[in-house]
Amino acid sequence: MPEKIKNYIAGEWIEAASGNTFESRNPADSREVIGLIPDSNAEDVDKAVAAARSAFPSWSQTPAPLRGEILFRAGELLVKRKVPLGELVCREMGKIMPESLGDVQEAIDMLYYMGGEGRRLSGETVPSELPNKDARSLRAPIGVFAQITPWNFPIAIPSWKLAPALVAGNTLVYKPAEESPVCATRLVEILVESGLPSGVLNLVHGFGESVGEPMVRHPDVDGVSFTGSNAVGEKLAAICGTQHKDYMMETGGKNAIIIMDDANLDLAVSGALWGGFGTTGQRCTASSRLIVQNGIYDRFLETFTRRAEKLKVGNGLEKGLETKIDIGPIISKEQHQKVLDYIEIGLNEGATLHLGGKPYCEGSCAYGTFIEPTIFTDVRPAMRIAQEEIFGPVVSVIRVSELEEAIALANDVPFGLSSAIYSQDVNTTAIAERDLDAGLIYINASTIGAEIQLPFGGTKRTGLGPREAGGRGGALDFYTQWKVIYRDFSGQLQKAQIDD
Ligand code: NAD
């Protein structure tokens, strides 16, 4: 029997108000139902927002180091449960086991990092221009946040949102993706077990239009953090704009690796395979474009193709093959069809299908949504497959002659999340660092693999609002507001800026 999952509202695990459920299924084997999930609606959202609002005064006044300790404990529980949670990620979302364990590890890193912020939430103390007066700024919590996550990092991305918002003293209503709700539930259970008081974190399962949008529109929600598709992010930003809400929208990418003639060939091929086909291409930072200089183009394409052909597609939990599978399934039937449609679009646009291009159905894969690793050549930069996010194992290879041309092509998309260059010339890479228009730049490394201790996000249509994760300019800037305190202990009326 599949597990019956519940919402968590005001400290209680409860069913959706409607009593309805939907299924979460294993994308590698659709015969397996992993959970029955509450199909919630605006009524559940109302209860969750009310619980978050009433928990805010007490949580926001809980000393930040104590809030941080709860995150530390949650990190420790995740360490203990890393393997079973990794297996759940593999089963519910489909990414292969090493990556599933990495997903959990990223949440551990984030919980420890943000736990530490409990003792570091610093502002500034500066001298006042007047005697017997001091001046300082501090980070104050904001209120109730609505948080909405996608399925492709089912433990990691939720931790990116929950941990900083909680340590900063806010209370939350959280909706995970409908494709990975069991993973999200396990993370919430761990936070509750670690000591989070009732009402501070409220979990409401369900779909975007019936739960996500009512959360964003709710008048008692102060801010919104969303990660997902561009269309939804832009729509939600517009709603927030009319209601004067803070927002952070992390959306799509169309990332490129530039491979120059003087690149280390094997290293560049390894980076392109990892960036293009890792997580089945379902990362916002996936390297879906390879921009290759003329002199190395033929050798690169030959080696890249030979190694891509050897990648093993399959279920990451298949007995005896756990460590041998390289590419898992696509998350859903709809997304599977969307990727196949893009392959058709590429063919119709005149690109050459160099490798793959078909569903992969061998053995038990017949019950899953798999696609062969796919390479297009003769891709012109204006083609849709070179401009739009595909979110599958489909890579376009584009030939160029000069560095400037390569950088211009890398930048010539509506997104700006991650860009990479392989070259052994320091001047070449320095120019790329300066001129690539993206939030993340990698030198001699693939476009994927950001670490949590620096801000994460992109330029152009990749994002709206502040960045996520750690470091200066990261998530704490979004989840806190500055309060400035001037304390005058002169006992007289003192006037700043006014001449005597
Ligand atoms: P999606 O936009 O369809 O769904 C994301 C979340 O938004 C889900 O929880 C969904 O239920 C919810 N949602 C959908 N419609 C909504 C609405 N009208 N109102 C409120 N919530 C709504 O995206 P997806 O297909 O699940 O995720 C893949 C996308 O996420 C890709 O575009 C990828 O690039 C992006 N992504 C971006 C980052 C980043 O940090 N930049 C990271 C991971 C994924």
Side-chain angles (χ1 to χ4, degrees), residues 148-153 157 160 175-179 206-209 211-214 216 226-233 235-236 239 249-253 282-285 335 338 389 391 417 456-458 462-463 468:
I148 301 172
T149 54
W151 43 266
N152 64 338
F153 281 83
I157 291 183
W160 283 44
K175 189 200 93 61
E178 51 271 35
E179 296 88 349
F207 294 88
E209 274 166 23
V211 176
E213 217 166 302
V216 173
F226 165 87
T227 300
S229 60
N230 254 75
V232 174
K235 178 179 180 191
L236 299 184
I239 297 170
M249 307 290 167
E250 295 293 346
T251 59
Q282 301 174 113
R283 289 197 189 212
C284 50
T285 50
Q335 183 62 23
K338 183 180 152 201
E389 188 181 45
F391 233 52
L417 184 50
F456 181 91
T462 288
E468 289 208 283

Side-chain angles (χ1 to χ4, degrees), residues 139-428:
R139 286 181 183 272
I142 294 174
V144 176
F145 277 87
Q147 300 189 313
I148 301 172
T149 54
W151 43 266
N152 64 338
F153 281 83
I155 304 272
I157 291 183
S159 80
W160 283 44
K161 300 207 184 294
L162 303 177
L166 289 172
V167 81
N170 303 288
T171 54
L172 312 176
V173 178
Y174 167 46
K175 189 200 93 61
E178 51 271 35
E179 296 88 349
S180 57
V182 184
C183 290
T185 305
R186 292 285 106 87
L187 180 62
V188 170
E189 284 166 0
I190 282 177
L191 282 159
V192 172
E193 204 178 323
S194 303
L196 215 52
S198 299
V200 170
L201 166 59
N202 301 278
L203 169 70
V204 186
H205 289 287
F207 294 88
E209 274 166 23
S210 45
V211 176
E213 217 166 302
M215 278 165 59
V216 173
R217 289 186 186 279
H218 200 291
D220 219 11
V221 162
D222 300 297
V224 175
S225 174
F226 165 87
T227 300
S229 60
N230 254 75
V232 174
E234 286 171 6
K235 178 179 180 191
L236 299 184
I239 297 170
C240 291
T242 60
Q243 297 188 356
H244 199 89
K245 287 177 179 169
D246 291 334
Y247 60 81
M248 165 199 271
M249 307 290 167
E250 295 293 346
T251 59
K254 188 70 188 174
N255 314 290
I257 301 182
I258 297 172
I259 295 129
M260 300 299 292
D261 284 348
D262 67 347
N264 174 328
L265 180 66
D266 279 342
L267 190 64
V269 168
S270 298
L273 289 166
W274 175 225
F277 304 123
T279 326
T280 320
Q282 301 174 113
R283 289 197 189 212
C284 50
T285 50
S287 327
S288 56
R289 296 181 297 149
L290 305 177
I291 299 174
V292 189
Q293 202 176 6
N294 247 329
I296 198 171
Y297 183 93
D298 292 338
R299 280 183 298 137
F300 175 84
L301 186 61
E302 196 267 315
T303 318
F304 180 60
T305 310
R306 186 163 31 81
R307 288 180 56 190
E309 274 168 342
K310 290 196 187 122
L311 294 175
K312 176 113 191 78
V313 179
N315 179 345
L317 288 173
E318 185 148 346
K319 284 268 166 302
L321 289 178
E322 295 92 335
T323 56
K324 301 204 173 69
I325 303 290
D326 300 296
I327 301 184
I330 300 281
I331 186 69
S332 63
K333 289 201 173 101
E334 298 72 39
Q335 183 62 23
H336 188 251
Q337 188 54 51
K338 183 180 152 201
V339 177
L340 293 174
D341 289 348
Y342 265 113
I343 293 171
E344 198 59 38
I345 289 168
L347 284 168
N348 292 337
E349 284 178 314
T352 303
L353 183 59
H354 182 75
L355 183 75
K358 295 191 298 302
Y360 181 85
C361 310
E362 283 186 21
S364 65
C365 288
Y367 298 100
T369 36
F370 296 90
I371 292 184
E372 297 169 342
T374 298
I375 302 173
F376 274 110
T377 54
D378 301 318
V379 176
R380 287 191 312 280
M383 288 178 176
R384 283 183 64 191
I385 55 167
Q387 287 288 322
E388 298 174 17
E389 188 181 45
I390 299 175
F391 233 52
V394 182
V395 169
S396 294
V397 188
I398 304 169
R399 190 194 281 266
V400 289
S401 13
E402 302 291 343
L403 175 66
E404 289 66 27
E405 184 191 1
I407 292 175
L409 280 189
N411 290 342
D412 186 23
V413 287
F415 306 101
L417 184 50
S418 185
S419 290
I421 182 164
Y422 283 85
S423 163
Q424 303 195 67
D425 182 279
V426 69
N427 297 337
T428 300

